[in-house]
Amino acid sequence: MSPSLPSGLLGDLDPTSDRAVFRQIADQLREAIDRGRFREGEKLPSEAELVDHYGVSRMTVRNSFSVLQGEGLVHAEHGKGVFVRPRPPVRRLASDRFARRHREQGKSAFIVEADAVGSHPQVDSLEVKEEKASQDVSARLGSVRRVLARRRRYLLDGRPVEFATSYLPLDIARGTQIAEPNPGPGGIYARLEELGHRLDHFEEEIRARMPSPAEVKTLHLAAGVPVIHLIRTAFDTEGRPVEVCDTVMAADAYVLSYQLPAT
Amino acid sequence: MSPSLPSGLLGDLDPTSDRAVFRQIADQLREAIDRGRFREGEKLPSEAELVDHYGVSRMTVRNSFSVLQGEGLVHAEHGKGVFVRPRPPVRRLASDRFARRHREQGKSAFIVEADAVGSHPQVDSLEVKEEKASQDVSARLGSVRRVLARRRRYLLDGRPVEFATSYLPLDIARGTQIAEPNPGPGGIYARLEELGHRLDHFEEEIRARMPSPAEVKTLHLAAGVPVIHLIRTAFDTEGRPVEVCDTVMAADAYVLSYQLPAT
DNA sequence: CTTGCCCACTCGTCTATACGAGTATGCACG
DNA sequence: CGTGCATACTCGTATAGACGAGTGGGCAAG
């Protein structure tokens, strides 16, 4: 038998309303969460308890939960319950993160930055190989057929937060340290500059969308978490695009920050 | 009676698989969409047809659809069917969109840009009023109690794509044309400069998340469409923040583009 | 020909039931 | 004391049925 809910926590249904019952329930739960009646990580009433409280069928309650899941407000754990989704710590990406001065150190920007805020950084899924350039990458790199692709996934405290692929023209990267699993201190941008491609500027394109099933898997995304899709192109001082980096980030783990001149 | 589906369009279920039936159906539909078997705007088989084809119950088929809706791939229209969601035209926001040279003209950046690509722009929900600054806005503007808030919504070809609120310190904006519904040619940035606040740079913070129910309503968002939340702070040459602009954009209608120096 | 209604088809909402599978707890047994 | 199992509670998946409401086409009446 389900114990009854503390009275006053949730209200009653309005049978005269034309708002669907499952939406009314979702509204009440959402409001309770917003007001802090349920805190981050806290367990919501179980399906059975809500069935008793509202006098509706279980599917109706589940429908309410699915609304809240779609909004990214809650997540269900099989065998345990439905919980208010905690807001994970966000990683701030500043627009000067690729400035030359940050490249002096030996470690990669990701590692340095994570260490600074006391997180445990990891990089995995390293893959470096030559492949055919997609139509999009080819266009961005200036009609290149084949490219060197460097794939990796970044984790913070064990949680995957982003994965990225860098594409470089073969005539630049082949046979250099860039084609090695470990590109050496300062990363591939340092190597590019050593190879005579002094970097001039970057162009970043940002989109947001819902993840594909593959992305959900790779980033362990909860329901209702979008991804930020960032495509960066690096140009050298001669105006040639020397790298395209395609990055997919868990949107709940990032804030991007840019500084623009008012010119 | 439901006519049977064209054979070969969709496959069969694998009863030995441990993948849930509704996921298998969603997978097949997703793949068919990705492969172009169903084109943008095209109608998917009705629930009844899929019930017949797969020999499952209607709720199972609906469950599959709800997966695809959550991914933003399809949308349902009551009484008509379920359709592949067309990708709307996107608006590109370049990082120089606030450059002084774009401010010379009389019209606002939004209008000029939309006209350029042949879209029909509109601005509505104009509201200008003094109000108490939220904690966040106050912090960004440097401990300001009350602010002038300018709210508006932008539409392209009748579709709402973004809404924004600008907050300005009262000591700057009160009694000026900035406090009028129509701020005049070049917008509030032009007025700020005339008032002696020469703009130096902007700071933009970007987040992506699922919309609140209020945002769904204001932007007429389909299921599975995230929003891009952009907070811009404008600084004058003395380093004082003179405006905070809080913008919520339909993510499927935007690509943001930034240029960063490699410094 | 036009109007208005009926009907078929569509998705939306809700109920009731059943079984499976993951989790946690307590108790009995070794 | 510790191990392992039974059990109760949780959500996951699926079935079957019912009624409501929006859409569009066809047909009959005017």
Side-chain angles (χ1 to χ4, degrees):
Chain A
M1 204 203 74
S2 312
S4 69
L5 289 178
S7 70
L9 232 188
L10 296 173
D12 296 318
L13 297 178
D14 174 5
T16 71
S17 167
D18 60 351
R19 187 152 179 84
V21 172
F22 74 89
R23 291 188 201 284
Q24 293 186 46
I25 297 176
D27 291 344
Q28 293 191 12
L29 291 170
R30 189 186 305 108
E31 193 187 321
I33 292 170
D34 287 345
R35 295 192 178 213
R37 295 226 223 282
F38 300 109
R39 268 165 291 189
E40 290 191 8
E42 198 173 338
K43 184 176 169 303
L44 295 181
S46 75
E47 295 175 355
E49 285 170 329
L50 292 173
V51 163
D52 286 354
H53 178 79
Y54 287 114
V56 297
S57 83
R58 190 176 155 224
M59 286 310 295
T60 301
V61 169
R62 280 183 63 75
N63 214 341
S64 313
F65 278 154
S66 94
V67 169
L68 299 178
Q69 281 194 46
E71 294 169 9
L73 273 181
V74 307
H75 68 111
E77 292 182 33
H78 194 165
K80 297 209 242 177
V82 177
F83 301 84
V84 180
R85 213 160 65 76
R87 305 190 194 296
V90 295
R91 210 160 90 78
R92 298 188 83 85
L93 292 191
S95 51
D96 69 346
R97 64 194 183 278
F98 296 119
R100 204 161 280 123
R101 64 178 177 283
H102 294 328
R103 219 178 297 139
E104 313 299 312
Q105 319 301 340
K107 302 190 220 169
S108 86
F110 181 78
I111 307 281
V112 172
E113 191 195 338
D115 284 341
V117 296
S119 299
H120 171 59
Q122 272 173 280
V123 183
D124 73 358
S125 312
L126 230 54
E127 183 194 56
V128 184
K129 66 170 194 181
E130 296 182 7
E131 61 184 42
K132 186 165 170 296
S134 72
Q135 203 172 332
D136 181 65
V137 167
S138 172
R140 290 176 195 272
L141 284 179
S143 300
V144 170
R145 275 240 179 70
R146 292 182 64 79
V147 289
L148 180 78
R150 299 183 54 92
R151 288 174 224 285
R152 66 274 187 199
R153 184 173 68 157
Y154 295 93
L155 301 90
L156 279 186
D157 298 321
R159 186 209 162 181
V161 291
E162 107 180 46
F163 65 90
T165 308
S166 285
Y167 301 96
L168 298 105
L170 279 188
D171 70 287
I172 291 180
R174 180 181 268 169
T176 72
Q177 198 174 356
I178 295 175
E180 304 295 324
N182 181 351
I188 58 177
Y189 290 150
R191 293 299 84 69
L192 280 171
E193 297 219 312
E194 288 167 10
L195 290 167
H197 298 281
R198 188 166 174 83
L199 295 178
D200 182 71
H201 68 280
F202 301 94
E203 221 176 82
E204 296 199 341
E205 273 187 17
I206 301 172
R207 291 173 178 76
R209 55 173 170 74
M210 292 313 280
S212 70
E215 289 163 345
V216 167
K217 205 173 168 190
T218 306
L219 294 178
H220 299 177
L221 293 173
V225 178
V227 293
I228 297 174
H229 189 168
L230 190 156
I231 303 172
R232 176 177 55 253
T233 310
F235 294 87
D236 68 12
T237 49
E238 292 170 10
R240 176 178 178 190
V242 293
E243 185 228 23
V244 167
C245 183
D246 184 296
T247 305
V248 176
M249 297 175 273
D252 62 355
Y254 281 91
V255 180
L256 309 188
S257 168
Y258 291 91
Q259 241 189 59
L260 327 173
T263 310
Chain B
M1 204 200 72
S2 312
S4 71
L5 252 39
S7 71
L9 232 188
L10 296 171
D12 296 319
L13 298 178
D14 174 5
T16 72
S17 166
D18 59 350
R19 189 151 177 83
V21 171
F22 74 90
R23 290 189 202 283
Q24 293 186 46
I25 297 176
D27 290 345
Q28 292 191 13
L29 291 170
R30 189 187 305 107
E31 195 187 319
I33 292 170
D34 287 345
R35 295 191 177 212
R37 295 227 223 281
F38 300 109
R39 270 164 289 190
E40 291 191 4
E42 199 174 339
K43 184 177 170 303
L44 295 181
S46 74
E47 294 175 356
E49 284 169 330
L50 291 172
V51 163
D52 285 355
H53 177 79
Y54 288 114
V56 298
S57 81
R58 188 175 158 226
M59 287 309 294
T60 301
V61 169
R62 281 183 63 76
N63 215 341
S64 313
F65 278 153
S66 93
V67 169
L68 300 179
Q69 282 193 46
E71 294 170 7
L73 274 182
V74 306
H75 68 111
E77 293 183 32
H78 194 167
K80 296 209 233 173
V82 177
F83 301 83
V84 180
R85 213 161 64 75
R87 306 198 184 292
V90 295
R91 210 160 89 79
R92 298 187 83 85
L93 293 190
S95 52
D96 69 347
R97 63 193 183 281
F98 296 120
R100 205 161 281 121
R101 64 179 179 283
H102 294 329
R103 220 177 297 137
E104 314 297 312
Q105 317 301 342
K107 304 190 219 168
S108 88
F110 181 77
I111 307 281
V112 172
E113 190 194 339
D115 283 341
V117 297
S119 299
H120 171 59
Q122 273 173 279
V123 183
D124 73 359
S125 312
L126 230 53
E127 183 193 58
V128 184
K129 66 171 197 181
E130 296 184 7
E131 61 185 41
K132 187 166 170 295
S134 72
Q135 204 172 331
D136 181 65
V137 166
S138 172
R140 290 176 195 272
L141 285 178
S143 300
V144 170
R145 276 241 179 70
R146 293 182 64 78
V147 288
L148 180 78
R150 299 183 53 91
R151 286 173 225 288
R152 66 273 187 198
R153 184 173 69 156
Y154 297 93
L155 302 90
L156 279 186
D157 299 321
R159 186 208 162 182
V161 290
E162 106 180 47
F163 66 89
T165 308
S166 285
Y167 301 95
L168 298 106
L170 279 189
D171 70 288
I172 291 180
R174 180 180 268 169
T176 72
Q177 198 174 355
I178 295 175
E180 303 296 324
N182 181 351
I188 60 178
Y189 291 151
R191 294 297 85 68
L192 280 170
E193 297 218 312
E194 288 168 9
L195 290 168
H197 298 282
R198 187 165 174 83
L199 297 178
D200 182 70
H201 68 279
F202 301 95
E203 223 176 80
E204 296 199 341
E205 273 188 16
I206 300 172
R207 290 173 178 77
R209 54 172 172 76
M210 292 313 280
S212 70
E215 289 163 344
V216 168
K217 205 173 166 188
T218 305
L219 294 178
H220 298 177
L221 293 173
V225 178
V227 292
I228 297 173
H229 189 168
L230 190 156
I231 302 171
R232 176 177 55 254
T233 309
F235 293 87
D236 68 13
T237 49
E238 292 170 12
R240 177 181 177 186
V242 292
E243 185 229 24
V244 167
C245 183
D246 184 297
T247 304
V248 176
M249 297 174 273
D252 63 356
Y254 281 91
V255 179
L256 309 187
S257 168
Y258 290 91
Q259 248 195 48
L260 327 174
T263 311

